[in-house]
């Protein structure tokens, strides 16, 4: 039987000065398991790049909530793409099986969802890794009035290989949907290949897609203690608007040339950087506010630009790409990063084995004074895989670690009191999980999708588990 964990940090004691009325205590982080639902008893299963196609944490979004309904996407045992939905609190999911089938055993070929609020459509981008993508959108108004619409594949249009006729690149990877404050829908993606690619944006205004263009550069020279590289790509930890309408992106660089590493078997990722946009992704600024790139121009964010790196690290520590980020109620950016700290040695030679043995996750954030702070999360990864970051309505921070474990820290402590709140014993989760980043603000529930471990290519169960956070 799965262990049910209901743990919490101590509540803040509100101390009132003499003659004043005590303020209500601000709760620290807590998780209370509400239940688990099954999406699919026979979801497709294969291990590729040490991950699963249904549970890659860089999906934005594989699970989302909108107007009282939660939506999920995955590939079933027949390799068909499936879209599920349920009313919040329901224990069963309605499923629509699409005609598209997964084309290869590649865990990069995820399905991501987005909602365009201007016309109430659900959008899907799927099945791409440095090649062509597949795109589907629902009928207008579908997500605005879900209870009045029967759920079937008929509510979705035809599968396309363009964005309604817009073909931004022939080498497409990592779809990330972002809703703008005005209700437009943006799509971030990588053009090119690993080690030689550029980030780009497209935008849907409720009637048509427009390719805004590339905003990062793959050129320039990066030199480490071991050698140099002249090509790379920027891997994003996410791309998200805050409460004030600023668009944030944490990232790592991956070099094309292995000459920058101490030896074979590692990974060429280095440094954690940060940029933001105050004009809906048209121009990009470093932490100091200096413009370092313009989308669609020849002046794009490059490794040689000053002021990008907020946490320096050389390529010898198996820094992971594409982890997670979030913003708090003041619009301050937070990220989780992970690597093998120097106390375990200064040269990783097998990034999977070394990260599994000695990898640690860190909480990186900007404080109200404008300084960057980093705190190690005191839970060994035990995995090469990624962690997801979530903030509750009180700005307490939660790290959903590989296998579905949940650690948290309170805002009141300055995010220094990290503790494991849920150990995930009994979940039998493979590794990475897909978190519903949109639900916490709506009903103070943390949901994540996970797939049970299997062997070879034997299909396994895909589930969603829910936890109540402080209300």
């Amino acid at each position: 039987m799965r262990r049910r964990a209901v743990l919490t940090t101590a509540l803040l004691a509100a101390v009132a000065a003499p003659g004043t009325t005590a303020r209500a205590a601000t709760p620290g982080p807590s998780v209370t398991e509400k239940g688990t639902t099954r999406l699919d008893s026979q979801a497709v299963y294969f291990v590729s790049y040490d991950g699963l196609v249904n549970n890659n944490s860089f999906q934005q979004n594989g699970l989302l909530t909108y107007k009282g309904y939660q939506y999920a996407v995955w590939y079933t045992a027949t390799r068909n793409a499936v879209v599920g939905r349920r009313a919040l609190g329901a224990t069963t999911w309605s499923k629509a099986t699409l005609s598209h089938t997964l084309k290869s055993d590649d865990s990069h070929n995820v399905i991501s969802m987005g909602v365009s609020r201007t016309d109430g459509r659900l959008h899907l981008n799927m099945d791409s890794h440095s090649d062509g993508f597949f795109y589907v959108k629902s009928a207008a108004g579908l997500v605005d009035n879900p209870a009045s619409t029967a759920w079937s594949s008929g509510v979705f249009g035809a599968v396309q290989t363009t964005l309604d006729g817009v073909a931004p690149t022939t080498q497409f990877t990592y779809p990330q949907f972002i809703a703008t404050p005005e209700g437009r829908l943006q799509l971030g993606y990588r053009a090119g290949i690993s080690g030689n690619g550029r980030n780009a944006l497209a935008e849907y205004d409720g009637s048509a897609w427009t390719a805004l263009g590339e905003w990062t550069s793959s050129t320039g020279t990066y030199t480490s203690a071991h050698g140099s590289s002249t090509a790379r790509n920027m891997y994003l930890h996410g791309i998200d608007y805050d409460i004030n309408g600023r668009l944030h992106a944490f990232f790592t660089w991956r070099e094309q040339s292995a000459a920058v590493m101490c030896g074979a078997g590692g990974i060429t990722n280095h440094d954690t950087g940060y940029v933001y946009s105050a004009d809906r992704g048209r121009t990009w600024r470093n932490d100091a506010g200096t413009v370092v790139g313009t989308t669609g121009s020849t002046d794009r964010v490059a490794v040689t630009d000053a002021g990008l790196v907020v946490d320096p690290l050389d390529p010898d520590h198996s820094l992971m790409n594409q982890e997670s980020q979030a913003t708090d109620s003041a619009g301050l950016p937070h990220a989780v990063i992970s690597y093998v700290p120097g106390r375990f040695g200064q040269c990783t030679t097998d990034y999977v084995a070394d990260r599994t043995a000695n990898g640690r996750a860190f909480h990186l954030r900007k404080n109200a004074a404008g300084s960057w702070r980093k705190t190690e999360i005191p839970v060994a990864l035990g995995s090469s895989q990624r962690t997801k970051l979530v903030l509750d309505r009180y700005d307490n921070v939660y790290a959903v670690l590989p296998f579905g474990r949940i650690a948290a820290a309170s805002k009141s402590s300055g995010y220094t009191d990290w503790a494991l709140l849920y150990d995930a014993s009994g979940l039998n989760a493979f590794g990475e999980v897909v978190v519903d980043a949109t639900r916490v603000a709506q009903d103070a529930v943390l949901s994540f999708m996970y797939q049970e471990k299997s062997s070879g290519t034997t299909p396994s169960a895909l589930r969603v588990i829910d936890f109540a956070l402080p209300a």
Side-chain angles (χ1 to χ4, degrees):
M1 179 179 295
R2 181 168 64 255
R3 174 185 173 191
R4 297 177 65 86
V6 183
L7 301 174
T8 181
T9 61
L11 295 180
L12 286 174
V15 180
T20 65
T21 301
R23 294 181 292 110
T26 301
S30 65
V31 293
T32 304
E33 186 177 340
K34 293 171 59 68
T36 304
T37 57
R38 189 177 70 188
L39 289 167
D40 195 334
S41 62
Q42 295 283 295
V44 72
Y45 187 98
F46 56 84
V47 180
S48 159
Y49 296 93
D50 207 33
L52 303 180
V53 72
N54 285 329
N55 278 97
N56 257 310
S57 69
F58 54 73
Q59 289 173 257
Q60 190 169 326
N61 300 280
L63 188 67
L64 66 80
T65 297
Y66 188 75
K67 292 192 174 181
Y69 274 69
Q70 190 173 43
Y71 300 84
V73 284
W74 70 95
Y75 298 102
T76 190
T78 62
R79 306 176 70 89
N80 285 85
V82 181
V83 191
R85 76 169 184 184
R86 64 168 174 168
L88 293 182
T91 58
T92 59
W93 294 75
S94 299
K95 303 171 189 177
T97 301
L98 304 182
S99 61
H100 180 74
T101 57
L102 178 65
K103 65 189 180 189
S104 63
D105 285 358
D106 186 333
S107 64
H108 291 78
N109 292 33
V110 300
I111 309 172
S112 292
M113 291 182 290
V115 169
S116 52
R117 296 197 303 271
T118 55
D119 59 358
R121 295 184 194 267
L122 185 67
H123 301 250
L124 277 64
N125 191 294
M126 52 192 169
D127 204 1
S128 60
H129 184 194
S130 302
D131 54 11
F133 62 81
F134 299 86
Y135 167 70
V136 175
K137 67 180 181 183
S138 76
L142 175 70
V143 296
D144 289 332
N145 301 288
S148 62
T149 307
W151 192 249
S152 72
S153 60
V155 301
F156 292 92
V159 177
Q160 306 178 50
T161 55
T162 66
L163 299 171
D164 292 337
V166 175
T169 178
T170 58
Q171 293 181 311
F172 183 101
T173 317
Y174 305 126
Q176 295 178 300
F177 284 107
I178 323 115
T180 72
E182 300 81 17
R184 295 188 176 199
L185 183 65
Q186 294 179 323
L187 176 63
Y189 59 92
R190 185 188 72 193
I193 62 173
S194 178
N196 191 10
R198 290 85 54 206
N199 290 325
L201 285 171
E203 187 173 84
Y204 178 76
D205 64 2
S207 60
W209 283 95
T210 301
L212 301 182
E214 298 175 0
W215 60 274
T216 71
S217 171
S218 60
T219 61
T221 299
Y222 167 78
T223 302
S224 73
H226 312 291
S228 297
S229 174
T230 58
R232 70 204 45 82
N233 66 274
M234 178 195 282
Y235 274 116
L236 299 180
H237 290 313
I239 182 166
D240 304 280
Y241 283 98
D242 68 17
I243 192 171
N244 303 310
R246 178 176 285 189
L247 183 60
H248 301 261
F250 285 92
F251 63 87
T252 62
W253 293 108
R254 175 175 292 178
E255 298 301 319
Q256 185 180 59
S257 174
V260 299
M261 295 190 297
C262 57
I267 192 167
T268 60
N269 297 339
H270 63 90
D271 297 323
T272 298
Y274 168 78
V275 290
Y276 72 90
S277 174
D279 56 5
R280 308 300 188 256
R282 271 61 176 182
T283 59
W284 296 89
R285 298 174 182 269
N286 65 15
D287 186 42
T290 302
V291 174
V292 289
T294 300
T295 301
S297 78
T298 57
D299 180 20
R300 302 190 293 254
V301 183
V303 73
T304 51
D305 286 328
L308 300 183
V309 175
V310 295
D311 190 61
L313 188 69
D314 63 44
D316 297 337
H317 295 274
S318 294
L319 175 67
M320 181 48 67
N321 50 283
Q322 296 165 290
E323 292 227 50
S324 185
Q325 65 174 50
T327 57
D328 63 23
S329 62
L332 295 171
H334 298 242
V336 63
I337 63 175
S338 67
Y339 56 88
V340 177
R343 66 180 183 270
F344 297 109
Q346 299 298 330
C347 180
T348 57
T349 57
D350 183 327
Y351 87 89
V352 172
D354 290 337
R355 284 177 56 83
T356 301
N358 297 313
R360 298 294 187 272
F362 298 81
H363 174 214
L364 179 65
R365 74 274 183 196
K366 189 174 184 178
N367 64 22
S371 300
W372 291 94
R373 296 288 184 266
K374 185 172 71 171
T375 305
E376 182 174 337
I377 299 172
V379 181
L381 290 180
S383 168
S384 67
Q385 297 185 296
R386 300 172 179 89
T387 295
K388 296 294 289 184
L389 195 70
V390 175
L391 280 84
D392 68 19
R393 60 185 56 180
Y394 301 102
D395 289 336
N396 301 308
V397 65
Y398 302 77
V400 187
L401 296 147
F403 316 117
R405 297 165 296 167
I406 304 173
S410 66
K411 179 183 179 181
S412 63
S413 72
Y415 304 109
T416 60
D417 60 350
W418 280 96
L420 185 68
L421 303 189
Y422 180 75
D423 68 9
S425 58
L427 286 190
N428 195 33
F430 170 80
E432 290 184 14
V433 302
V434 172
V435 169
D436 186 341
T438 61
R439 187 173 179 185
V440 174
Q442 298 181 46
D443 65 354
V445 171
L446 169 61
S447 279
F448 66 79
M449 180 168 66
Y450 68 93
Q451 189 160 355
E452 294 182 0
K453 294 177 186 175
S454 187
S455 60
T457 57
T458 303
S460 67
L462 186 68
R463 303 181 188 276
V464 173
I465 188 168
D466 300 330
F467 297 88
L469 302 183

